[in-house]
Amino acid sequence: AVMREISGIDKMEERLRRKLGIQQVIIVAGNSDESPWVKSELGRACALCMKNSLQGKNIIAVTGGTTMATVAEMLTPDLGKDLLFVPGRGGIGEDVQNQANTICAKMAERTKSSHKVLYVPDQVSSETYHMMLKEPHIKEVLGLIKSASMVLHGVGDAMTMAQRRRTSAEDLRKIEERQAVGEAFGYYFNEAGEVVHKVRTVGLQLDDLVKTGHVLAVAGGASKEKAIRSYMKQAPKNTVLITDEGAATQLLQG
Ligand code: G3H
């Protein structure tokens, strides 16, 4: 705590919190674009924040990405055993290690708690998709997602995310044409914070976040400046942003 005061990080957190108009900002030292261990620090900060916010029984909805995968690595059994991790949204084209299903399994393993899987493939016809929604297992998981008391999610650069996922040429064009800069849980945002594209899948909707007690957004690296700024225009006020100095410095300047 003393180190944070001396380095002025606590003042930076408060300035950024006011600027973004959200509940809390937590900043870790460094820039995760340049130093990979900074991403681990983001994970550690998220784990600590979870520990301070959780009590008793909780359903935690989690999205995908490399940052969320790092959060999973940092969780420990002392977080509490009465936790149920559920994937926030169905498959959105990520490689298996970055998928919410995999990350939830890892989080449950690390905390000795439980998890659910949501098997919704990416490229299905609209007909198949609507049929899947009637599956009892899928319905059960969707119900759990809606009753989550905490959501953990990443925020990504729009083009980076669209290219990393198996996005169709048509959608790629749309994302580019509509000048998306940010991405979170399959929603793409332009600089004004408007949703310009949404991956067709089931689960968490942006509107659901307002009703969730704790929303932890974890994203760092100076390269995510525009992405974080755009998403924060839509983010619910109850959001806690866990970021690094690299991103925070840029966000405070713009
Ligand atoms: O869904 C993915 C996130 O928006 C960002 O992913 O943590 O790998 O940068 P990342």
Side-chain angles (χ1 to χ4, degrees):
V2 175
M3 270 316 289
R4 295 170 74 79
E5 271 177 47
I6 294 170
S7 62
I9 266 192
D10 58 335
K11 291 212 173 63
M12 230 175 140
E13 289 173 338
E14 179 52 20
R15 272 170 61 213
L16 190 54
R17 184 193 70 77
R18 276 203 220 140
K19 189 164 183 173
L20 301 176
I22 55 173
Q23 187 183 309
Q24 194 188 351
V25 172
I26 298 168
I27 303 172
V28 303
N31 177 1
S32 44
D33 287 341
E34 283 158 18
S35 329
W37 66 84
V38 177
K39 207 176 237 183
S40 307
E41 287 308 311
L42 287 175
R44 206 187 305 277
C46 180
L48 185 64
C49 184
M50 287 169 76
K51 203 172 158 187
N52 293 335
S53 327
L54 293 173
Q55 260 173 359
K57 229 176 156 159
N58 283 276
I59 298 175
I60 306 176
V62 185
T63 68
T66 58
T67 313
M68 282 301 121
T70 309
V71 170
E73 297 292 337
M74 293 300 157
L75 298 187
T76 47
D78 60 342
L79 197 58
K81 287 181 181 59
D82 241 346
L83 305 175
L84 175 63
F85 292 94
V86 291
R89 296 193 85 205
I92 41 182
E94 292 267 22
D95 282 342
V96 72
Q97 75 273 15
N98 294 335
Q99 279 171 17
N101 276 329
T102 314
I103 295 169
C104 282
K106 182 89 188 183
M107 288 182 165
E109 186 193 313
R110 306 251 342 152
T111 56
K112 303 203 180 343
S113 52
S114 31
H115 72 102
K116 291 277 178 187
V117 287
L118 183 59
Y119 288 124
V120 185
D122 310 314
Q123 320 270 332
V124 292
S125 66
S126 157
E127 197 185 27
T128 309
Y129 171 83
H130 286 103
M131 254 167 66
M132 291 194 73
L133 292 187
K134 293 186 190 133
E135 280 294 319
H137 167 77
I138 292 179
K139 271 183 152 167
E140 185 210 343
V141 180
L142 292 180
L144 291 169
I145 293 170
K146 301 275 177 192
S147 55
S149 54
M150 177 179 272
V151 171
L152 306 178
H153 73 88
V155 180
D157 171 74
M159 280 321 278
T160 308
M161 291 313 301
Q163 279 157 5
R164 191 169 88 190
R165 294 170 175 159
R166 283 155 290 160
T167 308
S168 70
E170 193 191 336
D171 284 348
L172 262 180
R173 209 177 318 117
K174 186 173 151 196
I175 290 164
E176 214 163 10
E177 267 171 19
R178 298 187 181 174
Q179 298 173 314
V181 290
E183 184 279 343
F185 36 90
Y187 283 67
Y188 287 81
F189 306 88
N190 65 11
E191 275 194 45
E194 294 155 347
V195 177
V196 294
H197 175 68
K198 201 175 146 188
V199 177
R200 184 177 69 200
T201 188
V202 293
L204 206 64
Q205 306 298 314
L206 192 52
D207 296 342
D208 296 332
L209 296 186
V210 193
K211 290 166 257 157
T212 312
H214 305 280
V215 181
L216 275 51
V218 194
S223 63
K224 285 193 182 179
E225 173 201 358
K226 280 191 176 169
I228 298 171
R229 187 178 289 119
S230 69
Y231 171 68
M232 285 301 155
K233 291 187 177 160
Q234 275 283 351
K237 299 285 164 267
N238 55 335
T239 299
V240 175
L241 170 67
I242 300 167
T243 189
D244 61 19
E245 262 182 304
T249 308
Q250 296 294 119
L251 286 164
L252 282 168
Q253 276 169 8

